[in-house]
């Protein structure tokens, strides 16, 4: 996943223009990223402290990320035939 992000980041400046955006889709993905980052930090802390309660709370957080993931697919379906918003090519 990280390698693909690097590839995309390298290609965007070469294309000379920004890709089309669906603001709601971008918002959901950004929120997922923030939550995932928080989960990683909490996981490290739970492991270091051997805190079972902190580790168990990760399940709740993961459920929120799963809900947002379903929202991404729902939004992608809503975009439907709007090719410019659904797909971007360099």
């Amino acid at each position: 996943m990280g390698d693909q992000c690097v590839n995309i980041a390298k290609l965007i400046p070469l294309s000379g223009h920004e890709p089309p955006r669906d603001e709601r889709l971008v918002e959901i993905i950004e929120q997922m990223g923030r939550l995932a980052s928080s989960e990683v930090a909490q996981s490290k802390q739970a492991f270091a402290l051997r805190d079972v309660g902190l580790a168990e709370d990760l399940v709740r957080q993961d459920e929120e990320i799963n809900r947002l993931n379903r929202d991404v697919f729902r939004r992608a379906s809503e975009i439907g035939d709007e090719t410019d918003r659904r797909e971007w090519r360099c």
Side-chain angles (χ1 to χ4, degrees):
M1 182 169 44
D3 289 341
Q4 188 62 21
C5 289
V6 169
N7 293 339
I8 292 168
K10 288 179 180 177
L11 287 173
I12 289 174
L14 295 175
S15 70
H17 65 286
E18 289 291 319
R21 293 173 58 117
D22 178 80
E23 292 302 323
R24 180 63 188 136
L25 197 55
V26 171
E27 289 170 12
I28 296 169
I29 292 170
E30 287 175 344
Q31 186 176 1
M32 288 173 69
R34 287 189 298 272
L35 290 172
S37 179
S38 174
E39 271 191 289
V40 169
Q42 185 170 325
S43 297
K44 290 170 34 178
Q45 184 179 19
F47 183 77
L49 299 174
R50 306 295 193 257
D51 187 326
V52 174
L54 205 54
E56 289 175 339
D57 183 57
L58 293 167
V59 174
R60 178 193 57 78
Q61 293 179 52
D62 199 47
E63 288 171 356
E64 176 65 11
I65 291 175
N66 291 339
R67 184 190 64 75
L68 290 168
N69 189 45
R70 288 189 299 274
D71 289 349
V72 165
F73 281 97
R74 190 175 303 113
R75 182 63 193 143
S77 295
E78 290 170 359
I79 292 169
D81 292 332
E82 296 178 43
T83 307
D84 286 344
R85 294 174 70 195
R86 185 185 68 220
E87 186 175 335
W88 177 63
R89 296 180 185 169
C90 301

